[in-house]
Amino acid sequence: MVSRVEHPAAGYKKIFETVEELSEPIPAEVTGVIPSWLGGSLLRMGPGLFEVGAEPFYHLFDGQALMHKFDLKNGYVTYYRKFIKTDAYVRAMTEKRVVITEFGTAAYPDPCKNIFSRFFTYFKGIEVTDNCLVNVYPIGEDFYAVTETNYITKVDPDSLETLKKVDLCDYLSVNGVTAHPHIEADGTVYNIGNCFGKNMSLAYNIVKIPPAQRDKSDPVEKSQVLVQLPSSERFKPSYIHSFGMTEKYFVLVEQPVKINLLKFLSSWSIRGTNYMDCFESNDSMGTWFHLASRDPAEYVSSHRFRTSAFNVFHHINTYEDQGFIIVDLCTWKGHEFVYNYLYLANLREEWEEVKRAAMRAPQPEVRRYVLPLDIHREEQGKNLVSLPYTTATAVLRSDGTIWLEPEVLFSGPRQAFEFPQINYSMCCGKSYCYAYGLGLNHFIPDKVVKLNVKTKETWVWQEEDSYPSEPLFVPTPGATEEDDGVLLSIVVKPGAERPGSLLVLDARDLRELARAEVNTIIPVTFHGMYKPGS
């Protein structure tokens, strides 16, 4: 069990403050020994601008996108960061106000315009943000910073320069896609997003972007929809942040957090509404699991899996075993939207108030669900799961649905295992032992955790008044053991002489191998990637 640490000094407030970009990379002071084979770049995305002039951004997912890079070479480390020059950022900086509506912050017409101009501005329609603060990943030979709308932004991973804004709607029938694609060894990218399906109903399209092309053409231009999955409500698709993929199947978890499309289309264009205003919770649907086969790409309509309500943002891993699909998830109990608790005003409160708010929020749990593929109608009321290593159950009901109950892999009061990572190149879509995650203590990130999903044993790295980021696993070249590698995490220690650092941990036991410290605060980051050196 992960122990609880208190934060009475509330140093975590510093990771939610605006910083300036750097004009050039700055050298880090290295202690310990960085493995000689570790030569490349850690790229991270997150918010870096939390207000424009006198106008604040209100939600954790509103701040303007800042890209970070730690370069590692021959034991030396440098740190660099630049704002992504999105339309949202450039226009905000030019007009010194919030110009494009963000996740939890509404943009209003320019107060300097006369009343008639302001009135007509309200009716110009929805302007979707391109604020790509969530993740960065490769497509072909290029790299894109992304959020969850239809816009992705091509960036240079070396100079961090912004290169091109791309609208995926030019190539795909999607309203947006997740920031968590699956990427195969050859570079093929799979993702999912909601779309308009038959009879103007909402649905979910799984899409494919091919790997780098021999003729050097842009793979994005060759994107295609593979298969469409239905939404349980015609005009209210679920919020989808990630999805599962095995060797033969795609897995969509349809949670009870819904996007009210009619509210999105109507109220937003009339008054100051933001994305958060368009979410609502369905307190009766529970949670549904949908399957689609990969080859041929078809929706598996014969299998309808259902369970009690939970929020899910991150899949840990999904794999097949002996006629079952195992789905490991970071869940939050109940139908209330967890993002309601991620407004910056909440996260910047004093420690006791942060704890009180978290007590009201949905509670986190790492769960394993098991989906049987071989279903016999005469087996109603029986547990269909025969795998010896799990207590998860699946029971066929008289209405033809299969009711799922999970095995709990990790649970601690107000202690979340989130932002999960695995040895992706070795274990994605396959049976595995280890997951690595960011430990959230009442929503405050204060530990790195390793979880053995088979034995439920945990290992923890934690330091007083230190706030780490999602740990990225980098395997040792030629490694044969699943946990032979290192974890890379950005750590902020506000009271230190050099408050920002890159932490290098041995993935086997979370022993610190090295850290590279810089004399600057680094604001919160969400997701990123390790780019090996050439």
Side-chain angles (χ1 to χ4, degrees), residues 349-367:
E349 286 280 6
E350 298 300 325
W351 177 237
E352 291 303 318
E353 186 54 41
V354 166
K355 290 197 295 183
R356 275 191 288 272
M359 295 291 283
R360 300 188 295 269
Q363 293 309 299
E365 209 165 64
V366 176
R367 294 178 176 179

Side-chain angles (χ1 to χ4, degrees), residues 455-502:
T455 68
K456 304 179 185 178
E457 181 181 5
T458 57
W459 296 257
V460 175
W461 177 92
Q462 190 169 35
E463 280 189 355
E464 186 176 358
D465 296 324
S466 295
Y467 306 100
S469 71
E470 166 193 66
L472 290 181
F473 179 85
V474 184
T476 302
T480 57
E481 297 296 323
E482 181 184 334
D483 60 349
D484 186 354
V486 300
L487 299 179
L488 302 179
S489 176
I490 293 178
V491 177
V492 177
K493 192 165 188 171
E497 180 182 350
R498 292 179 296 277
S501 64
L502 171 63

Side-chain angles (χ1 to χ4, degrees), residues 122-192:
Y122 271 120
F123 290 88
K124 286 186 356 183
I126 297 169
E127 187 169 14
V128 176
T129 184
D130 61 344
N131 182 23
C132 51
L133 76 163
V134 182
N135 203 357
V136 57
Y137 60 82
I139 297 177
E141 296 179 351
D142 300 318
F143 292 80
Y144 289 84
V146 301
T147 179
E148 297 179 314
T149 68
N150 51 299
Y151 294 118
I152 60 176
T153 303
K154 185 177 176 181
V155 295
D156 185 323
D158 298 318
S159 68
L160 307 190
E161 292 295 329
T162 304
L163 301 178
K164 184 173 69 171
K165 174 180 176 178
V166 175
D167 184 354
L168 291 174
C169 290
D170 291 341
Y171 311 103
L172 291 165
S173 176
V174 289
N175 299 323
V177 294
T178 80
H180 292 284
H182 281 286
I183 303 177
E184 295 195 312
D186 69 352
T188 301
V189 176
Y190 297 92
N191 211 334
I192 188 169

Side-chain angles (χ1 to χ4, degrees), residues 40-51:
S41 301
L42 175 67
L43 303 173
R44 301 284 301 169
M45 295 302 306
L49 183 73
F50 293 90
E51 64 282 316

Side-chain angles (χ1 to χ4, degrees), residues 287-353:
T287 302
W288 291 83
F289 287 70
H290 298 276
L291 297 181
S293 59
R294 294 181 60 182
D295 188 16
E298 294 177 345
Y299 175 55
V300 183
S301 59
S302 57
H303 292 52
R304 295 189 297 152
F305 301 98
R306 192 179 183 188
T307 189
S308 54
F310 63 80
N311 284 213
V312 60
F313 309 110
H314 298 117
H315 286 240
I316 302 174
N317 198 14
T318 309
Y319 64 93
E320 303 159 45
D321 187 13
Q322 303 174 58
F324 299 90
I325 295 178
I326 292 82
V327 184
D328 292 348
L329 305 168
C330 298
T331 71
W332 299 77
K333 300 177 185 178
H335 57 78
E336 185 186 7
F337 196 18
V338 172
Y339 287 7
N340 291 337
Y341 295 87
L342 299 181
Y343 282 93
L344 290 166
N346 298 342
L347 298 172
R348 290 166 172 163
E349 286 280 6
E350 298 300 325
W351 177 237
E352 291 303 318
E353 186 54 41

